Amino acid sequence: LAEANAVVEELVGDRAGEWDLAGEIPGDLLRKAGGLGLLCAQVGTEHGGRGFGSRENGEFTAHAGSLCSSLRSVMTSQGMAAWTIQRLGTPGQSAALLPRLTGGELAAVGFSETDAGSDLSTMATTLETDGDEVVLDGHKVWVTGAHYADLLIVFAKCEGGAAAVVVPASAPGVRVERVADPMGCRAAGHAHVRLDGVRLPASSVLGGPGLPLPLLVTAALAYGRISVAWGCVGILRACRNAAARHAASRTQSGKPLTGHQLVQRHLAELYVSEQVAAQACAHASACWDEGSPDVVVATVLAKHVSAGNAAKGASSAVQVLASAGSRDGHVVARAYRDAKLMEIIEGSNEICQLLLAEHAVATAQ
Ligand code: FAD
């Protein structure tokens, strides 16, 4: 973990703000990180990965998230693609595809559509079987990392249920169009993906067609949620550090900002938010590593707590820095924009609340 943290620190250096403003992370840097197994570090060593457990991968994700949420978002997408392949694919598909994801190729995952956001059951992308080929038609939106991706994991409806399909971004009929000016994680390569009669070998369907859609979605989102949650711990860490350093170094009304109780409250709340989010994430990762069935609820809880805390914490950090943090490219300004989006993706606040309410009722005594 220490070595992985050091490598990612060196790769990012002090360039996260610059990438955010440019809306782009250099592609060769992403491929280098991918080739070092850093973008999906939970993949086993037999497939060229780092073989991290969920906890170790989480701590690594938090560290990356404290440096650059755009890079962490690309990492979440790559890890989610790898996990989806592992979870839904056959051993042969895993053996063929995972070494590509640990060897420098980049991947993204597309569920969402214009009319299918929180409710993915209304997904309109279709997969039809034609002999030993399949044909995909549809339009995915807001796919993180799709701008950089070599492979897209696309979810579609088909006869008998649904399917997760591995689509080369270069396949005829695939068109990737960048999302213009995203509010945050600006260098994460969000793109819309058009699929017009994309013809692929039937072996591109992970585990074969006709699986229940909720199973496919839950499998992929499990990884995405825990990864976003740890990324939010990183956002909180970066915000606490920036706010504490600034408050200790600036004097107003005759004493350092750290001597003003209302500023102390912001710092205390930031610390509490970070610690609580980290504990919720550690619990979810422990459930994951132990194979506990509690992992589903623990992951939703961790994502919900961490995203909400990151959004509030980033706002407090901007408040503490005030004008010093109020310019584009500053770490807290970037965190403020990035954190808000974490309340929307991988199950919005409201969708997480619905799932947690369901659990609260089901487990009432
Ligand atoms: P809607 O579903 O229209 O929801 C609008 C509002 O209504 C939200 O507040 C929502 O919580 C609330 N709401 C909706 N339904 C209910 C309900 N039943 N009860 C209570 N409240 C409800 N998609 C991908 O497939 N792959 C990606 O990699 C990806 N990356 C993304 C990255 C970013 C930065 C963003 C912003 C989006 C990304 N998305 C991605 C899309 C994301 O998954 C959707 O934006 C998300 O699921 C919400 O869908 P929606 O935007 O259509 O909002």
Side-chain angles (χ1 to χ4, degrees), residues 77 109-112 117-119 141-144 190 341 344-346 348 350-351 354:
S77 292
V109 182
F111 314 88
S112 308
S118 301
D119 179 9
V141 298
W142 275 96
V143 182
T144 302
H190 306 114
L341 297 183
I344 296 170
I345 62 168
E346 312 289 352
S348 63
E350 292 75 13
I351 296 304
L354 291 183

